[in-house]
Amino acid sequence: MTTFSDLGLSQKVLSAVTDAGYTIPTPIQAGAIPPALQRRDILGIAQTGTGKTASFVLPMLTLLEKGRARARMPRTLILEPTRELAAQVAENFEKYGKNHKLNIALLIGGVSFDEQDRKLERGADVLIATPGRLLDHCERGKLLMSGVEILVIDEADRMLDMGFIPDIERIAKLIPFTRQTLFFSATMPPEIQKLADRFLQNPERLEVSVRSSTATTVTQRFVATHGKDYEKRQTLRDLIKAQEELKNAIIFCNRKKDVADLFRSLDRHGFSVGALHGDMDQRSRMAMLANFKDGNIKLLVASDVAARGLDIPDVSHVFNFDVPIHAEDYVHRIGRTGRAGRSGAAFTLVTKRDTKFSDAIEKLIDKKVEWLDGDLDSLPPAAESEERERPRKGRGRERDKDRDRDRERDRDRPAASHKTDTRRDDTQGNAKGPDMGNEAVKADRQSENRQNQPVRNQRPANDDVRDRRNNNNRRYRRDDDDGPTPVGFGDDIPAFMLIAGKA
Ligand code: AMP
């Protein structure tokens, strides 16, 4: 069996890998590290969860030990589509590079330029960046990339979806042609293949199968439901409550507005829940993620853009509140569970309107997904199912009231005016969930003041997204989600959620 010491990595790197507790390289690591160390270009078809980050970080660290930087110029550049991914890669660099004295600059949007400028002025060996912010630094004349020897383009298909390919082409022109390029993508649509053909010279091609790795450990089920939002939310709540083995879960929505709505609904129903979408500011997103990773929040409602590629080990369940419009997103979503051979469960709510998309998923994964408790034809008529829930005593009646409130809100209120619902008033104090103490309540009240800002003052915080939309040349296809920033989860976030977060 191949071990890390067979791959040609330096002693410093091997010792950090041992300290991290890893002994056996994953297939992408075993395949990519030796040719990368020989300065070959790599085309890696692999998604997160396969160990692909270490497959480029470890050889880069070994190669950085050889040679020296020219006058404070960066020698390596890693491009990531989202800030979280960039931050995650930076963490990996620190973990595996703990025996190296390397300066790492994380160049991402949503944080001030000043600190990044200072890092660049001091000299950075390694740049980890999102494309928009990197170009901003170049345009401000703060960054010369003529010393870059290794370029990593990670999650290339995501870059394509997010409209970053023209940016990447511009960036590639700023880097010497003689560079080594390591290129990773979870899928290989024709546009990505063309890009790889342009960027890579005689690459070593490695493919890590996604299908078999998810199919064997994840139990997948479609769940038939009626299509109104309140009906779907009821189905979801029942489903969550029925899961005896649920440790934590990510719940995916197709649009950020739905992320915010579903979050509020679950929160009101007393679930331990947080939310993550692309318009939240960086600090809030990192804090939310830390809270989820630490187990302070059990359910995380997320959009694809926000959650793509996040390394959240050990998620027991994935719920697709919406069937993803792009079938590849299904594979990415359910790849959040069943990692490293663990078992996981993935449930997808399917309405009659979604059959086109659920069929596309089955075609892509090349197998039928079983229905939980019967398919769409066996659903009781909508009115009947509402009737079923009607007058009940005690908790049942409360649930009906909640559902009615949900329904009214859906019917009567325009999406962008849900502002007050994100706030909790004192009468809701005991609905804050078991984890919330007085401090949390106090922080919550403070946050209300901030949330009372007029809606027009709340701008999308994601610079990368904003830049992308401002630039007509940049493509923007995925997510169909350039609607308004959901109020209360855009520039701001209830303070109680940031408690115990490691921002
Ligand atoms: P990635 O695909 O890079 O996001 O990595 C997914 C997870 O696998 C991360 O939590 C890594 O720390 C972990 N990991 C990376 N390499 C190995 C390995 N050789 N053995 C076990 N776990 C690993």
Side-chain angles (χ1 to χ4, degrees), residues 4 22-26 29 47-54 88 92 95-96 309 311 313 339:
F4 275 105
Y22 303 140
T23 45
I24 309 297
T26 65
Q29 292 164 357
Q47 67 173 95
T48 43
T50 56
K52 79 172 157 67
T53 315
Q88 229 164 256
N92 272 260
K95 178 165 75 174
Y96 301 125
D311 178 26
R339 286 182 158 204

Side-chain angles (χ1 to χ4, degrees), residues 101-147:
K101 287 202 182 76
L102 289 173
N103 294 325
I104 299 166
L106 182 62
L107 307 179
I108 54 178
V111 285
S112 89
F113 278 94
D114 296 350
E115 204 185 317
Q116 296 176 1
D117 283 346
R118 276 198 295 279
K119 275 231 155 123
L120 292 175
E121 275 156 24
R122 266 184 263 135
D125 308 283
V126 179
L127 301 179
I128 303 169
T130 48
R133 181 53 72 102
L134 183 84
L135 282 173
D136 285 346
H137 276 286
C138 294
E139 279 156 16
R140 285 152 50 100
K142 296 277 179 185
L143 187 55
L144 258 187
M145 294 199 291
S146 52

Side-chain angles (χ1 to χ4, degrees), residues 193-373:
Q193 185 61 56
K194 268 191 228 150
L195 195 71
D197 292 344
R198 270 210 310 284
F199 281 178
L200 301 172
Q201 290 176 353
N202 186 26
E204 177 80 20
R205 190 178 199 277
L206 299 150
E207 184 159 2
V208 177
S209 158
V210 170
R211 282 176 206 171
S212 59
S213 61
T214 51
T216 51
T217 55
V218 180
T219 307
Q220 302 172 52
R221 294 287 179 272
F222 284 161
V223 183
T225 179
H226 291 296
K228 301 246 169 53
D229 280 354
Y230 66 86
E231 292 167 320
K232 287 176 75 179
R233 289 196 287 262
Q234 176 78 53
T235 305
L236 178 72
R237 288 195 297 271
D238 293 344
L239 191 59
I240 294 171
K241 285 178 192 157
Q243 303 307 307
E244 284 170 9
E245 308 273 296
L246 191 142
K247 183 169 166 280
N248 57 358
I250 304 185
I251 305 168
F252 285 98
C253 297
N254 286 353
R255 296 179 312 148
K256 63 195 172 199
K257 174 198 169 295
D258 298 331
V259 169
D261 285 352
L262 182 59
F263 160 76
R264 283 192 286 262
S265 170
L266 287 169
D267 185 42
R268 218 174 25 240
H269 281 269
F271 290 89
S272 162
V273 61
L276 200 66
H277 67 68
D279 281 358
M280 282 159 62
D281 69 36
Q282 179 66 6
R283 182 175 154 268
S284 309
R285 288 206 275 180
M286 299 306 276
M288 185 66 77
L289 202 57
N291 266 327
F292 184 63
K293 281 186 181 176
D294 294 347
N296 300 328
I297 293 169
K298 210 166 174 189
L299 306 175
L300 185 67
V301 189
S303 65
D304 291 290
V305 164
R308 176 72 174 264
L310 291 183
D311 178 26
I312 304 166
D314 205 14
V315 175
S316 72
H317 284 63
V318 166
F319 297 98
N320 291 319
F321 183 73
D322 299 308
V323 184
I325 292 162
H326 304 278
E328 322 88 79
D329 281 341
Y330 178 81
V331 177
H332 290 298
R333 289 179 182 188
I334 72 165
R336 309 289 93 208
T337 185
R339 286 182 158 204
R342 294 190 194 96
S343 60
F347 294 96
T348 303
L349 269 53
V350 182
T351 72
K352 289 202 166 120
R353 284 197 308 262
D354 300 323
T355 49
K356 191 171 91 184
F357 305 124
S358 54
D359 289 349
I361 287 168
E362 290 184 324
K363 201 164 159 228
L364 179 77
I365 64 171
D366 199 20
K367 70 174 203 178
K368 285 269 166 218
V369 177
E370 276 180 45
W371 291 88
L372 183 83
D373 301 335

Side-chain angles (χ1 to χ4, degrees), residues 293-483:
K293 281 186 181 176
D294 294 347
N296 300 328
I297 293 169
K298 210 166 174 189
L299 306 175
L300 185 67
V301 189
S303 65
D304 291 290
V305 164
R308 176 72 174 264
L310 291 183
D311 178 26
I312 304 166
D314 205 14
V315 175
S316 72
H317 284 63
V318 166
F319 297 98
N320 291 319
F321 183 73
D322 299 308
V323 184
I325 292 162
H326 304 278
E328 322 88 79
D329 281 341
Y330 178 81
V331 177
H332 290 298
R333 289 179 182 188
I334 72 165
R336 309 289 93 208
T337 185
R339 286 182 158 204
R342 294 190 194 96
S343 60
F347 294 96
T348 303
L349 269 53
V350 182
T351 72
K352 289 202 166 120
R353 284 197 308 262
D354 300 323
T355 49
K356 191 171 91 184
F357 305 124
S358 54
D359 289 349
I361 287 168
E362 290 184 324
K363 201 164 159 228
L364 179 77
I365 64 171
D366 199 20
K367 70 174 203 178
K368 285 269 166 218
V369 177
E370 276 180 45
W371 291 88
L372 183 83
D373 301 335
D375 63 12
L376 285 162
D377 292 335
S378 50
L379 266 182
E384 209 179 290
S385 74
E386 269 183 58
E387 209 48 52
R388 225 167 18 121
E389 300 292 333
R390 255 306 117 85
R392 281 216 221 110
K393 285 187 178 160
R395 176 77 196 114
R397 197 182 292 160
E398 271 171 41
R399 218 185 296 145
D400 285 342
K401 274 194 211 152
D402 278 338
R403 198 189 53 193
D404 289 342
R405 268 200 300 271
D406 276 3
R407 203 175 340 176
E408 272 165 34
R409 264 166 24 93
D410 288 338
R411 283 184 188 149
D412 299 338
R413 298 240 226 130
S417 65
H418 284 183
K419 188 164 89 67
T420 50
D421 285 11
T422 64
R423 299 169 41 201
R424 294 151 176 278
D425 57 34
D426 287 347
T427 56
Q428 288 175 301
N430 56 8
K432 285 169 197 295
D435 297 332
M436 293 203 45
N438 287 342
E439 285 239 350
V441 176
K442 220 188 302 163
D444 195 13
R445 289 210 188 104
Q446 283 164 1
S447 87
E448 284 180 12
N449 295 333
R450 276 185 284 137
Q451 288 181 28
N452 281 333
Q453 300 293 318
V455 173
R456 64 179 175 279
N457 285 348
Q458 300 203 356
R459 299 180 315 158
N462 187 336
D463 284 0
D464 304 318
V465 172
R466 200 163 47 226
D467 291 352
R468 185 171 83 224
R469 291 185 194 142
N470 288 342
N471 186 335
N472 292 335
N473 293 327
R474 297 180 196 170
R475 225 177 115 208
Y476 180 52
R477 171 170 73 84
R478 186 65 61 91
D479 242 20
D480 306 327
D481 198 9
D482 36 12

